[in-house]
Amino acid sequence: MLQRIADLRAEIEALTAADAAEVEALRIKYLSKKGLVSALMNDFRSVPAEEKRAVGQAINELKNFATDRINGLRDCLCCGAAEACGLDLTRTAAPVRLGTRHPLSLVREEIIAIFRRLGFNIAEGPEIEDDWHVFSSLNFADDHPARDMQDTFFISRMPDVLLRTHTSSVQSRVMEHTEPPIRIICPGRVYRNEAISARAHCFFHQVEALYVDKNVTFADLLQTLQYFAAEMFGGDTKIRLRPSYFPFTEPSAEMDISCNICGGKGCSFCKGTGWVEILGCGMVDPNVLEACGIDSKTYTGFALGMGVERIANLKYRVNDLRLFSENDVRFLDEFAGTH
Ligand code: DAH
């Protein structure tokens, strides 16, 4: 019985039809009540009980196969290639659904492009770091709170292996083995031991910029910041610097831009101040240059660092950080066509 089924299957597989009448004739021959496939069903009664299961399954499969094959022949008549396949070449193609770029990638690429136009090159460093590159070389005092377990994910202690808490670590890695002039932009992921909420996450992204050469001054930093703000947020954007403190820069500042939502008039986003903070910056502390083997009497430099999520917040008004890592396609779809 199984052999008969296999033979019939081979026969059906080889079928061809030149027109609709031939297809109909085949349907009657194989699939009608008195057709060859149905005949098998009649013989099924006489199959021994222990074979019934396998034979029943084979008959069902053959029936499905014959139905598909004969329908396929009918479809094929439309494209005039009846014997070729079961394809209808006249059907319109199903649209291909394109993926979208992640908003953080969009923003990172935009930041990089702006700095590239100023002659900065990309530098990258490891996410798993040592204490020297993340803290000590950057002039962090031994008792600085950022070194605390509460802020930093340690992989091991003595020697300290940790997840970098900022991309400033790439500064010291590059300075260690590069003669100035150095003009680099360092994008990357960073980690901090924070409870996850709308405003904080245990990982996020930063872009760091560093320029070290003879005679680099605060005026160079200011020009760079102004250029960046205008390119990123539009020519009308104003910037302001507030004095701040970072161990690796002296003097240090934080930069605000005029709120790009209310245009500086004051709204709920900027808490009525008209300004929003976007980055930290300053002149590289001579201690950092020396720690990385660069003569601080000959060279000076500026550095700046910003959060990619923060910029994406401002550009796309996304105010819950978790959305960036949840991979919800409804959120990601909103960036379709943005580049
Ligand atoms: N590393 C700082 C942070 O994670 C950001 C930063 C501030 C980077 C000032 C700099 C800088 O290069 O000059 O908060």
Side-chain angles (χ1 to χ4, degrees):
M1 184 83 172
L2 284 174
Q3 187 56 48
R4 252 178 78 202
I5 295 173
D7 291 347
L8 206 51
R9 188 189 158 101
E11 187 181 317
I12 293 170
E13 197 159 14
L15 292 177
T16 60
D19 54 33
E22 279 188 37
V23 176
E24 181 58 11
L26 292 173
R27 189 191 66 76
I28 292 167
K29 178 171 174 197
Y30 291 98
L31 291 171
S32 68
K33 272 203 179 116
K34 293 194 176 135
L36 293 172
V37 176
S38 313
L40 290 173
M41 308 267 200
N42 296 334
D43 298 347
F44 183 64
R45 278 183 221 115
S46 53
V47 171
E50 64 277 14
E51 287 175 27
K52 269 201 156 52
R53 204 181 137 85
V55 173
Q57 217 169 20
I59 294 178
N60 270 335
E61 274 168 23
L62 178 71
K63 194 171 166 205
N64 291 338
F65 176 75
T67 311
D68 286 350
R69 179 73 189 128
I70 289 170
N71 285 342
L73 287 173
R74 189 176 298 116
D75 289 347
C76 254
L77 293 174
C78 319
C79 68
E83 54 290 273
C85 57
L87 292 179
D88 174 4
L89 300 182
T90 61
R91 269 175 66 173
T92 37
V96 178
R97 211 171 155 276
L98 290 179
T100 58
R101 299 211 67 193
H102 193 280
L104 294 181
S105 305
L106 294 169
V107 171
R108 187 192 55 215
E109 294 309 313
E110 199 172 340
I111 299 170
I112 290 173
I114 295 169
F115 279 91
R116 267 191 188 282
R117 293 200 280 281
L118 292 173
F120 284 73
N121 289 319
I122 295 181
E124 284 181 325
E127 292 178 13
I128 299 175
E129 265 292 6
D130 50 33
D131 174 277
W132 171 256
H133 292 99
V134 177
F135 298 127
S136 298
S137 65
L138 294 170
N139 204 32
F140 278 78
D142 281 344
D143 56 357
H144 193 284
R147 289 172 178 255
D148 206 295
M149 293 271 266
Q150 269 131 30
D151 295 310
T152 305
F153 287 116
F154 283 90
I155 292 170
S156 69
R157 312 268 349 216
M158 312 266 219
D160 285 342
V161 179
L162 46 98
L163 296 180
R164 67 180 177 194
T165 55
H166 55 180
T167 44
S168 305
S169 54
V170 187
Q171 284 187 24
S172 50
R173 283 203 173 263
V174 172
M175 282 193 278
E176 262 171 7
H177 60 71
T178 318
E179 273 287 300
I182 296 170
R183 219 185 275 159
I184 50 162
I185 175 111
C186 323
R189 182 174 282 183
V190 301
Y191 302 83
R192 288 189 199 171
N193 195 355
E194 304 256 10
I196 297 172
S197 70
R199 308 182 131 257
H201 211 295
C202 57
F203 65 79
F204 54 98
H205 301 80
Q206 290 187 332
V207 177
E208 184 91 7
L210 173 74
Y211 177 29
V212 181
D213 201 353
K214 289 178 181 145
N215 303 320
V216 176
T217 68
F218 203 91
D220 297 311
L221 171 60
L222 195 58
Q223 279 299 313
T224 306
L225 293 172
Q226 251 155 4
Y227 177 77
F228 171 73
E231 291 290 292
M232 193 76 195
F233 297 104
D236 299 336
T237 312
K238 294 191 193 63
I239 65 168
R240 85 174 176 189
L241 294 183
R242 282 175 292 103
S244 184
Y245 172 77
F246 300 102
F248 35 91
T249 43
E250 181 56 39
S252 304
E254 271 163 310
M255 180 174 101
D256 299 340
I257 58 165
S258 49
C259 177
N260 71 332
I261 291 173
C262 62
K265 287 190 206 73
C267 65
S268 61
F269 191 80
C270 58
K271 302 198 187 74
T273 63
W275 296 95
V276 284
E277 185 197 319
I278 64 162
L279 56 79
C281 59
M283 300 306 292
V284 181
D285 193 301
N287 288 343
V288 175
L289 295 173
E290 294 293 339
C292 298
I294 291 178
D295 179 7
S296 63
K297 295 202 177 57
T298 315
Y299 294 107
T300 51
F302 71 68
L304 59 98
M306 68 187 98
V308 179
E309 280 82 351
R310 176 85 186 133
I311 309 280
N313 252 336
L314 285 167
K315 269 199 94 92
Y316 301 124
R317 324 271 148 92
V318 178
N319 46 24
D320 188 331
L321 275 179
R322 291 167 293 196
L323 286 167
F324 290 123
S325 50
E326 276 168 356
N327 279 337
D328 185 332
V329 285
R330 290 167 302 180
F331 170 70
L332 297 174
D333 265 350
E334 292 187 25
F335 301 90
T338 320
H339 44 82

